[in-house]
Amino acid sequence: MTIHTILKMGDPRLLRIAQPVTEFDTDALHLLVRDMFDTMRSVNGAGLAAPQIGVDLQLVIFGSNDRNPRYPDRPLVPPTVLLNPVITPLGDAEEEDWEGCLSVPGLRGKVPRWSRIRYTGFDPYGDPIDRTVEGFHARVVQHECDHLIGKLYPMRVRDFTQFGFTEVLFPDIGAAEDD
């Protein structure tokens, strides 16, 4: 079990375009995925992208079978490992909702995202994934996949009156759960 340091906004590695995964079902890939889940759980994350720990690969993980203290009122998203993802919006509808990020600790902002999406890609064994989702699940996938193209959620905030410190905006969420 290895808990990796999560890069913070301002680190230029977070702005790179990640490279596709070309080798599946390797010991190194399975170890990376395990370490990413351990790292995500250690900080109550809803998801984690490989670039957030300095790994330049198109790999995201998200979801849990347990409630997340950072997002206590959100529905569960199934634990997923997604490599080389492609997101296709289904329709023009967008939803604005609050987001936070492990690379932007202590802050939240209202971010527009497609309401309903289809995402495709591969699992660590190279088997295809093809899902149609909406709501919080769709938001989490879009947020994590943004990391693969060098975008952090503040880059998508449209109204900066809806951006601020979690402890001010959401005093019921403890600082320990949000950093």
Side-chain angles (χ1 to χ4, degrees), residues 50-110:
Q52 289 180 275
I53 59 168
V55 176
D56 195 25
L57 288 175
Q58 292 181 17
L59 163 60
V60 298
I61 63 166
F62 52 86
S64 172
N65 292 318
D66 302 311
R67 286 261 166 244
N68 187 313
R70 294 179 77 231
Y71 299 95
D73 299 328
R74 302 295 186 204
L76 293 177
V77 174
T80 302
V81 179
L82 181 62
L83 293 82
N84 302 340
V86 175
I87 294 177
T88 305
L90 300 176
D92 294 330
E94 288 183 347
E95 294 175 359
E96 277 201 344
D97 205 351
W98 294 98
E99 292 186 18
C101 182
L102 300 173
S103 292
V104 189
L107 295 167
R108 298 279 172 110
K110 267 208 173 170

Side-chain angles (χ1 to χ4, degrees), residues 6 47 55 90 102 120 130 139 174:
I6 297 172
V55 176
L90 300 176
L102 300 173
T120 59
D130 188 339
R139 176 169 298 280

Side-chain angles (χ1 to χ4, degrees), residues 3-4 8 10-11 17 20-21 38 41-42 45 49 51 55 79 82 89 106 113 123 136 154 174-175 179:
I3 305 296
H4 291 268
K8 303 284 189 277
D11 190 309
I17 306 296
V21 174
D38 290 342
R41 281 191 286 269
S42 77
V55 176
L82 181 62
R113 299 281 184 191
D123 72 11
F136 185 64
D179 285 336

Side-chain angles (χ1 to χ4, degrees), residues 7 11-19 50-57 146-151:
L7 303 179
D11 190 309
R13 292 174 288 178
L14 289 170
L15 303 176
R16 298 186 302 204
I17 306 296
Q19 301 303 305
Q52 289 180 275
I53 59 168
V55 176
D56 195 25
L57 288 175
D146 264 359
H147 285 291
L148 305 181
I149 59 170
K151 281 203 181 286

Side-chain angles (χ1 to χ4, degrees), residues 125-141:
Y125 298 94
D127 295 325
I129 293 174
D130 188 339
R131 293 181 185 159
T132 298
V133 298
E134 58 190 21
F136 185 64
H137 189 150
R139 176 169 298 280
V140 170
V141 174

